[in-house]
Amino acid sequence: MRILSGEFVRTWHGRLINIHPSLLPSFKGMHAQKLALEAGVRISGCTVHFVEEEVDAGAILVQRTVPVKSNDTITSLQERIKTAEHVAYPTALELVARKIAVLGDNGKIQWNGEPDDL
């Protein structure tokens, strides 16, 4: 993981997206799977969001869920989430590229059509 400078994020505001291995706003930062397992959640997943200066705080574009199994380890949960990420990220890229989802001046997504139209 690399934290971008505030200047870089401001310059490219509304044009940067990130994928995070949890269902934000839960389990921000590093070690999301460990935190999810410790919390005992039954569902986890991934979130693709616009990048803001605050880590893992941008408007959410796409979320995909995965079950958390009783015998999960950090590694097994990470692998299941990676599979979901391989669907979520291309979907988010298409939403942004086709301008179906645009980050508004208020920091919220302006939807121009329905995400299900993909």
Side-chain angles (χ1 to χ4, degrees):
M1 181 173 86
R2 182 174 184 175
I3 307 230
L4 304 171
S5 73
E7 180 181 351
F8 186 88
V9 171
R10 286 188 298 277
T11 299
W12 295 99
H13 190 252
R15 294 174 282 176
L16 298 171
I17 62 174
N18 182 50
I19 192 158
H20 182 74
S22 78
L23 297 174
L24 292 173
S26 296
F27 312 121
K28 292 181 178 184
M30 298 188 62
H31 313 294
Q33 295 88 6
K34 179 178 183 286
L35 295 171
L37 290 171
E38 287 174 353
V41 298
R42 303 307 306 150
I43 297 172
S44 189
C46 63
T47 302
V48 183
H49 61 92
F50 280 104
V51 174
E52 294 290 339
E53 288 187 64
E54 181 184 342
V55 174
D56 299 328
I60 294 170
L61 284 159
V62 175
Q63 290 183 306
R64 292 287 182 260
T65 62
V66 301
V68 178
K69 299 179 180 180
S70 61
N71 62 343
D72 263 335
T73 63
I74 293 170
T75 302
S76 64
L77 183 55
Q78 284 172 335
E79 291 305 313
R80 197 171 310 107
I81 291 172
K82 282 181 191 175
T83 300
E85 289 175 343
H86 293 171
V87 175
Y89 202 79
T91 300
L93 283 173
E94 188 167 358
L95 289 170
V96 173
R98 291 180 52 194
K99 298 190 184 332
I100 294 171
V102 177
L103 187 63
D105 293 336
N106 62 356
K108 296 184 180 188
I109 295 178
Q110 296 174 335
W111 294 99
N112 302 310
E114 293 298 321
D116 296 334
D117 292 345
L118 297 179

